[in-house]
Amino acid sequence: MCGIVAFTGTNQAAAILLAGLTRLEHRGYDSAGIAVIYPDRPELQLTRQAGKVAKLAKAVVREKIVGTCGIGHTRWATHGVPSEANAHPHRDCSGKIAVAHNGIIENYARLKDELLRQGHQFSSQTDTEVVAHLVEHNYNKLAEAAAAANGGGDDIATGNATGAGSNDTGTSNANANATGAGSTARADLAEAVRITVSQLSGSFALAILHADHPDEIVVTRNDSPLVLGCFEGGAIAASGLPALLEYTRDIAYIEDRDLAVLHRDGQIDYYDPAGEPFTPSTYHVDWTLEQAEKGGYPDFMLKEICEQPRVIRDTIAGRFDEATRSLSFDELPLTDEELANIDRIVIVACGTSYHAGLIGKDLIESWARIPVEVEVASEFRYRNPIINSNTLVIAISQSGETADTLEAVRQARRAGAHVIALTNVLGSQITREAQTVLYIKANLEIAVAATKSFLAQVAMLTLLGLYLAQERSLLTGPQIQELYGEMSKLPLQLEHILADTSAIERAADSCVAAQTALFIGRGVGATTCYEGALKLKEISYLHAEAFSAGEIKHGPIALIDAEAATPVIVVATQSTTHDKTLANIEEVKARGASVIAVATEGDGRIAELADYVIYIPPIRECFSPITASVPLQLFARHIALARGCDVDQPRNLAKSVTVE
Ligand code: F6R
């Protein structure tokens, strides 16, 4: 949620900031802004717009923003409506300090009261603005202290990040007036930010500029992502990798409340929360800039849907050894004894990742015979779940940043569980908090609605289920070989589905004007429906709900309106409960529903019952969520486009939910 970019170097900052913000726009897109220091005077140029980055880009050209040191922001509103005044960056009273922020400052109200009492003037409704004023306050105090130490005058305090003012963690003993004191003196910006950070609670990634420091930007974070890199043209920091890929693929992360100072010459200095310098670990990422581009597709969502055969191929590849007829999971450090001791698995996740977890539950339980519970991470963290050292916790998060899932991981670890993170993003926060990481091979996913990452999560959980069954001697080598062999057919099947989407489009056309759509299925088909309904509602804003087909008689069937011919989408692929599903189709038909069935090629009976049939190739039931999900993704996209919606950036949403 929200994307920040900071750049200082030899190139023009505005172009780099705008390019970075465009590549981070999936994180939030209700307003955007940049602040750049004038090249020839200690003042900031600030441009902000309600709306998308493209609108900001026009304003930047109009206003001829120049300079090589700046910060930018694309917003997903938490405090205050999306408007120019609430768009970031936010400034202090002097107008010299600018702050871009991703996250929520939880103690902002108390800080704001104190700052108001001291005479600071606020111009937005955001929580972020307190940071600008607090940095101003701390900066002025440092400048005054330095001036006093030097006998007054227009002094420069050049202490390092551990320097003056490090004991001051409150604003109540402030003696600087809000707009004046220290404004002619220069202090240590990094130290002022370090003190400020010690006064903040909540989640934040911050990029902070000061017009008197034209060659540096201070960045910091707590619970919100920040990735840093340097290249010939300068130093850059951002909320996500896509903003960096054009310049470097060697990146660094900082831990909570660490500070980094970006310098014009490309140097980055790192300080821990006590102000001690350190050298961060660096990573080389294999994501490429092309992955951050549409590559000829009309939207990222379609591009990502079409990448799914490759994603599944990569996820499956190399897991099975023909010679030993066994699956390997080298990433799992669990000993045989630890594996044998696992008495429960708890999967925690949100949204689409939660749906992947529900499918994983079915498969793991049926093959490995270990009880699996799947919990929504936002609930898990406030319950008192039963977790101990014999519980294996699998935390699923495409982004690796979801605040609720991260908190669930912490809670599980405190209770002694072994936590496996299943994620897509190298070095993301979850990878640093879990003991074990399983990377899905989805590559960069930009469309807000998850598609290829979902399929990759399901494929990985499927393999994990088979592996656990193998390790517990519940499936033999030949059985695993047979199942893996069938799984290996999936990429070709997905290509086949993607090759002709006309039946999907015909069915979707019939729903464009609908008020509500119901999805029903049984077993893993029901879970496939949950995800199908989520896709439809989030990108087309058409109300959609999914139910277990056996449940509809217990209430939801009342929603079917014969006059409106309510669409009912049925996942009716070959399964042990196929006949029951056909009976459910009869029931909804009898009440006037318009039935769209996703069925297995060769199933003639379904054509007699349903109004529209989308055929997919035959596959064992356990793998069917992978094939059946693809028509549902395309179905949702087609309806969304017909309803005039932006499928990549649906309203009110953001790609990663870094706040609670
Ligand atoms: C829906 C969607 C969301 C995410 C959810 C969790 O298309 O993308 O429901 O699945 O916000 O995100 P991650 O997986 O990044 O933790």
Side-chain angles (χ1 to χ4, degrees):
M1 311 204 124
C2 300
I4 65 173
V5 187
F7 168 76
T8 177
T10 48
N11 302 350
Q12 283 300 311
I16 290 180
L17 297 175
L18 287 172
L21 293 179
T22 304
R23 295 201 176 105
L24 293 182
E25 204 169 16
H26 54 293
R27 301 183 62 90
Y29 35 83
D30 58 44
S31 46
I34 62 169
V36 176
I37 302 177
Y38 273 109
D40 51 358
R41 56 184 191 274
E43 282 174 36
L44 297 179
Q45 305 151 88
L46 186 80
T47 305
R48 302 181 301 189
Q49 295 285 322
K52 298 203 174 183
V53 175
K55 196 169 160 211
L56 173 71
K58 286 190 186 134
V60 167
V61 172
R62 223 174 22 245
E63 293 172 27
K64 300 191 175 61
I65 304 282
V66 288
T68 57
C69 182
I71 60 176
H73 187 269
T74 176
R75 181 168 185 246
W76 187 89
T78 57
H79 295 66
V81 295
S83 66
E84 188 185 337
N86 288 333
H88 301 214
H90 289 286
R91 283 172 299 176
D92 69 329
C93 299
S94 73
K96 287 197 164 196
I97 296 170
V99 175
H101 168 218
N102 165 32
I104 292 182
I105 306 297
E106 282 166 4
N107 58 341
Y108 91 100
R110 186 181 60 75
L111 291 169
K112 189 169 175 177
D113 284 349
E114 284 176 20
L115 288 159
L116 283 168
R117 263 200 301 280
Q118 291 166 24
H120 287 261
Q121 285 177 0
F122 284 75
S123 54
S124 77
Q125 300 161 303
T126 66
D127 52 332
T128 303
E129 198 182 343
V130 295
V131 180
H133 292 279
L134 207 49
V135 173
E136 175 186 25
H137 168 88
N138 290 318
Y139 185 90
N140 287 348
K141 284 193 70 186
L142 288 176
E144 281 168 23
N150 288 320
D154 187 358
D155 290 314
I156 297 174
T158 54
N160 65 23
T162 59
S166 57
N167 291 329
D168 181 3
T169 54
T171 63
S172 54
N173 58 351
N175 57 7
N177 89 35
T179 55
S183 59
T184 56
R186 197 166 176 271
D188 184 333
L189 179 61
E191 177 59 7
V193 174
R194 193 186 71 78
I195 297 165
T196 303
V197 165
S198 71
Q199 297 165 324
L200 301 177
S201 55
S203 63
F204 47 84
L206 294 163
I208 298 167
L209 268 189
H210 193 308
D212 288 340
H213 297 255
D215 295 334
E216 69 184 38
I217 302 171
V218 182
V219 296
T220 182
R221 66 172 284 272
N222 187 53
D223 283 352
S224 290
L226 193 69
V227 48
L228 300 99
C230 38
F231 62 105
E232 260 184 15
I236 183 163
S239 303
L241 278 170
L244 270 69
L245 290 175
E246 189 173 344
Y247 316 103
T248 181
R249 289 202 273 154
D250 293 309
I251 49 132
Y253 292 96
I254 54 175
E255 297 300 331
D256 284 351
R257 294 178 190 267
D258 286 346
L259 238 65
V261 184
L262 280 58
H263 298 280
R264 184 182 154 78
D265 61 4
Q267 167 80 23
I268 304 180
D269 294 328
Y270 295 90
Y271 300 98
D272 71 11
E276 292 299 326
F278 70 91
T279 308
S281 324
T282 51
Y283 302 78
H284 181 78
V285 291
D286 55 13
W287 288 358
T288 63
L289 187 61
E290 291 68 54
Q291 289 162 8
E293 309 284 348
K294 285 188 195 150
Y297 286 91
D299 48 76
F300 281 109
M301 185 178 185
L302 184 61
K303 177 184 179 223
E304 289 160 7
I305 289 173
C306 291
E307 282 170 12
Q308 293 179 118
R310 196 268 312 145
V311 169
I312 297 300
R313 198 170 277 125
D314 288 355
T315 306
I316 297 172
R319 287 281 175 195
F320 187 73
D321 182 346
E322 293 286 344
T324 58
R325 288 177 152 188
S326 64
L327 283 168
S328 59
F329 259 88
D330 296 340
E331 307 94 316
L332 276 185
L334 298 173
T335 60
D336 290 350
E337 195 190 339
E338 282 167 330
L339 274 173
N341 285 343
I342 295 170
D343 58 16
R344 247 169 86 245
I345 293 178
V346 173
I347 298 180
V348 286
C350 301
T352 289
S353 297
Y354 170 78
H355 294 153
L358 290 175
I359 295 168
K361 168 188 165 75
D362 260 21
L363 303 183
I364 295 170
E365 285 188 341
S366 83
W367 289 324
R369 309 307 297 158
I370 306 172
V372 182
E373 283 161 39
V374 192
E375 295 226 30
V376 171
S378 55
E379 294 293 332
F380 180 87
R381 61 185 290 189
Y382 292 112
R383 294 197 316 107
N384 186 9
I386 302 165
I387 304 280
N388 57 41
S389 56
N390 292 338
T391 316
L392 180 67
V393 172
I394 304 175
I396 311 176
S397 175
Q398 182 283 132
S399 61
E401 291 177 14
T402 302
D404 288 320
T405 310
L406 288 171
E407 196 46 48
V409 168
R410 291 172 198 136
Q411 191 169 338
R413 287 206 61 175
R414 281 195 295 273
H418 184 98
V419 179
I420 299 177
L422 210 150
T423 186
N424 192 30
V425 182
L426 180 83
S428 56
Q429 187 65 23
I430 206 166
T431 67
R432 285 174 283 152
E433 304 222 12
Q435 288 102 317
T436 301
V437 182
L438 294 178
Y439 283 106
I440 55 169
K441 306 258 173 67
N443 287 348
L444 196 49
E445 188 176 66
I446 300 225
V448 165
T451 53
K452 60 176 179 170
S453 64
F454 171 70
L455 249 60
Q457 289 165 346
V458 173
M460 186 64 103
L461 290 165
T462 306
L463 290 165
L464 187 63
L466 290 173
Y467 173 76
L468 292 173
Q470 166 188 291
E471 296 305 293
R472 292 165 74 90
S473 306
L474 293 170
L475 285 176
T476 62
Q479 283 171 319
I480 300 266
Q481 185 172 34
E482 194 186 330
L483 286 161
Y484 185 83
E486 184 153 359
M487 212 181 160
S488 305
K489 290 185 197 158
L490 286 166
L492 279 179
Q493 296 205 340
L494 298 184
E495 277 164 15
H496 177 76
I497 294 167
L498 291 166
D500 179 6
T501 57
S502 52
I504 301 169
E505 284 156 22
R506 270 195 303 278
D509 282 337
S510 74
C511 301
V512 174
Q515 297 294 315
T516 191
L518 307 181
F519 287 68
I520 59 171
R522 285 173 177 264
V524 284
T527 323
T528 307
C529 285
Y530 298 150
E531 177 56 13
L534 177 63
K535 268 326 60 115
L536 182 58
K537 67 183 121 179
E538 69 182 327
I539 62 168
S540 75
Y541 322 141
L542 165 53
H543 177 253
E545 290 303 325
F547 306 96
S548 233
E551 272 294 294
I552 52 166
K553 288 195 280 293
H554 302 284
I557 202 163
L559 291 168
I560 293 170
D561 176 350
E563 221 165 282
T566 305
V568 177
I569 297 93
V570 191
V571 170
T573 46
Q574 284 307 328
S575 70
T576 45
T577 52
H578 188 58
D579 287 343
K580 309 269 176 215
T581 308
L582 293 181
N584 295 129
I585 294 180
E586 302 262 20
E587 287 159 7
V588 296
K589 274 300 301 170
R591 271 119 194 128
S594 167
V595 172
I596 296 166
V598 177
T600 308
E601 280 166 6
D603 182 348
R605 282 167 73 199
I606 206 105
E608 290 160 24
L609 295 174
D611 298 271
Y612 299 88
V613 185
I614 300 166
Y615 283 113
I616 59 173
I619 192 94
R620 212 180 276 250
E621 187 177 358
C622 53
F623 304 128
S624 64
I626 294 182
T627 46
S629 291
V630 177
L632 298 186
Q633 295 165 348
L634 290 163
F635 175 77
R637 176 181 172 275
H638 193 80
I639 294 175
L641 290 174
R643 288 163 71 102
C645 303
D646 179 340
V647 293
D648 284 345
Q649 295 177 351
R651 71 183 180 204
N652 305 339
L653 298 176
K655 183 73 183 161
S656 58
V657 184
T658 55
V659 296
E660 239 191 295

